[in-house]
Amino acid sequence: MVSVVQACAKLGSLHRAKEVDGYIREMNVARNVIVDTAMIDMFAKCGSIELAKEIFDSMRVKNVISWSAMIAAYGYHGRGTEALGLFPMMLASGVTPNEITYVSLLYACSHSGLVDDGLRIFSSMKNDYSLKPDVSHYTCMVDLLGRAGKLDEALKLIEESDIDKDQGLWGALLGACRIHKNTDLAERAVRSLLEMKSDNPGHYVLLSNIYANAGRWDEVARVRGLMTQRKLKKLPGWTWVEVNGEVHRFGTSDGSHPRSKEIYSFLNSLLERLEAAGYVPDTDFALHDVDEEVKKGTLSMHSEKLALAYSLLATPEGTPIRMTKNLRICGDCHSFVKFASAVTERAVVMRDASRFHHFQGGTCSCNNYW
């Protein structure tokens, strides 16, 4: 059952998660710390922090992995304050934190902008528990500082660390450079990645996007040429929604869905409603050397928007919408869904490659910090 629960967590389907939970209860499967901890992770990754907390609160025995799982769950739902609030409760229960606990805490800080708390926790790890930070802890710290715009501090932390640096560490810095449009430091990160013979196309795409934002189209062409030379392909973006037990997948400019014409027609009308409410397409996320109108047209066909339009068409009014994306949601789509949640009066839960976003009433749980 632990294997089934873990598979369901990867799938991200709340409907399936509830079925698995129901089966465990109906068949009186032995509930122990291993099964319950897996279920905490499953419900959290399927978008319900409330059901994860119910399992956690019902546990008679909690070990360090259970506490760490619940802290991590709060972290990727952007509820950093709640994540940090569990830590003193864990200590009071007599459970000693380990390296995984600190990864969960630092991750929670990085996705909620809790820079001072993250620095304090990182120091506590070494000074209070004599735990040596590894590359995963440093990656969280680079991500934390980088997201907050403290790019020089993030670089200094990398350079002064005595760990074996990996692609994830430099990739975190590169991602922060994308957010804050720091071309020079991005090039520094990419040089280090190239020295490691990085074969992750995402690193090249990030650098290409940074050049595109800066209008350096010759550099964009050079990076894309390098990708071609190294036979690296950009991972296509997909967004999935589950309606009535059936999964529907959408790509950018996708016309393969049986209701495609209806979806595009509805999307156009929705776009007009959102623009009337104040939504303005952010063409910085249309990374092509074309005019503004073409950029707007490209943005309007992103997979997130198509999936949202279909969900609004195919589900009853007032019901929450749940979507999953394999990449990080783009800034324009993030703004679009925020406005849509207000105009249509629908709650939208999106799981992307970075975290969960809970949209409702024109706001997002991430507070634009992802």
Side-chain angles (χ1 to χ4, degrees):
M1 284 313 304
V2 170
S3 298
V4 171
V5 167
Q6 289 173 339
C8 192
K10 290 183 181 296
L11 185 63
S13 168
L14 185 60
H15 169 69
R16 299 297 180 197
K18 289 179 178 178
E19 284 187 342
V20 170
D21 179 44
Y23 179 84
I24 288 173
R25 296 176 189 276
E26 182 182 344
M27 302 303 293
N28 292 316
V29 174
R31 296 285 294 274
N32 57 36
V33 68
I34 299 172
V35 173
D36 285 347
T37 299
M39 289 178 67
I40 290 169
D41 184 62
M42 174 186 72
F43 276 125
K45 288 181 177 175
C46 291
S48 179
I49 196 71
E50 294 77 17
L51 291 176
K53 185 67 162 52
E54 280 185 23
I55 298 292
F56 180 76
D57 289 341
S58 71
M59 293 175 69
R60 286 176 290 182
V61 177
K62 301 181 181 77
N63 62 15
V64 65
I65 302 174
S66 309
W67 284 96
S68 300
M70 194 65 225
I71 290 169
Y74 275 129
Y76 44 74
H77 280 269
R79 294 167 63 167
T81 302
E82 289 97 324
L84 297 186
L86 283 180
F87 190 50
M89 295 170 61
M90 171 184 168
L91 299 178
S93 74
V95 175
T96 301
N98 63 12
E99 291 86 352
I100 296 172
T101 310
Y102 276 98
V103 169
S104 300
L105 287 166
L106 293 173
Y107 181 93
C109 290
S110 74
H111 284 267
S112 297
L114 303 174
V115 177
D116 292 339
D117 289 299
L119 291 168
R120 174 179 54 80
I121 288 166
F122 189 63
S123 176
S124 163
M125 178 181 182
K126 297 179 286 186
N127 298 333
D128 297 340
Y129 293 96
S130 301
L131 295 171
K132 181 178 173 59
D134 62 23
V135 69
S136 58
H137 301 100
Y138 275 96
T139 299
C140 286
M141 287 302 297
V142 169
D143 191 53
L144 169 66
L145 293 169
R147 287 177 188 273
K150 299 178 181 290
L151 296 173
D152 291 336
E153 291 181 38
L155 178 61
K156 183 179 179 182
L157 186 69
I158 294 174
E159 292 179 334
E160 293 183 353
S161 66
D162 59 355
I163 57 169
D164 290 331
K165 301 167 181 61
D166 66 2
Q167 293 184 22
L169 186 66
W170 287 107
L173 182 62
L174 181 60
C177 292
R178 167 72 173 90
I179 295 170
H180 297 288
K181 301 180 181 179
N182 189 319
T183 307
D184 293 339
L185 197 52
E187 291 174 333
R188 167 74 175 84
V190 168
R191 282 197 300 272
S192 296
L193 288 165
L194 292 177
E195 288 171 6
M196 296 178 182
K197 295 182 170 55
S198 170
D199 59 356
N200 183 344
H203 295 149
Y204 296 85
V205 171
L206 272 175
L207 182 61
S208 173
N209 292 349
I210 291 168
Y211 283 139
N213 279 142
R216 295 169 60 177
W217 300 108
D218 289 344
E219 294 295 338
V220 171
R222 182 181 65 81
V223 173
R224 290 177 179 172
L226 190 59
M227 289 181 67
T228 302
Q229 179 185 330
R230 299 192 174 190
K231 297 181 180 179
L232 300 175
K233 291 185 177 180
K234 177 183 177 181
L235 184 67
W238 299 100
T239 302
W240 292 263
V241 292
E242 185 175 356
V243 176
N244 297 325
E246 184 178 354
V247 176
H248 301 259
R249 186 181 78 164
F250 296 88
T252 297
S253 305
D254 198 343
S256 62
H257 195 277
R259 298 179 66 179
S260 185
K261 288 184 179 180
E262 189 180 358
I263 290 168
Y264 276 100
S265 176
F266 179 83
L267 183 57
N268 288 333
S269 64
L270 177 61
L271 182 59
E272 290 178 1
R273 293 169 63 192
L274 300 193
E275 288 180 338
Y279 162 70
V280 178
D282 188 346
T283 54
D284 279 351
F285 291 93
L287 301 169
H288 300 281
D289 188 13
V290 294
D291 63 39
E292 288 296 301
E293 287 305 312
V294 175
K295 286 183 178 182
K296 288 180 182 179
T298 302
L299 286 174
S300 70
M301 294 184 285
H302 277 192
S303 65
E304 299 97 316
K305 296 183 178 77
L306 295 174
L308 177 63
Y310 173 70
S311 299
L312 290 168
L313 279 170
T315 58
E317 289 187 15
T319 57
I321 291 170
R322 298 181 180 276
M323 305 194 296
T324 302
K325 184 172 173 64
N326 63 330
L327 304 176
R328 182 181 181 272
I329 183 174
C330 91
D332 177 70
C333 287
H334 190 269
S335 176
F336 184 93
V337 179
K338 279 201 301 183
F339 274 95
S341 72
V343 168
T344 65
E345 298 182 347
R346 294 279 204 112
V348 180
V349 180
M350 170 170 275
R351 172 184 174 179
D352 73 2
S354 178
R355 58 174 296 152
F356 276 90
H357 300 264
H358 296 259
F359 300 91
Q360 190 160 17
T363 64
C364 179
S365 60
C366 74
N367 294 316
N368 297 327
Y369 202 95
W370 84 103

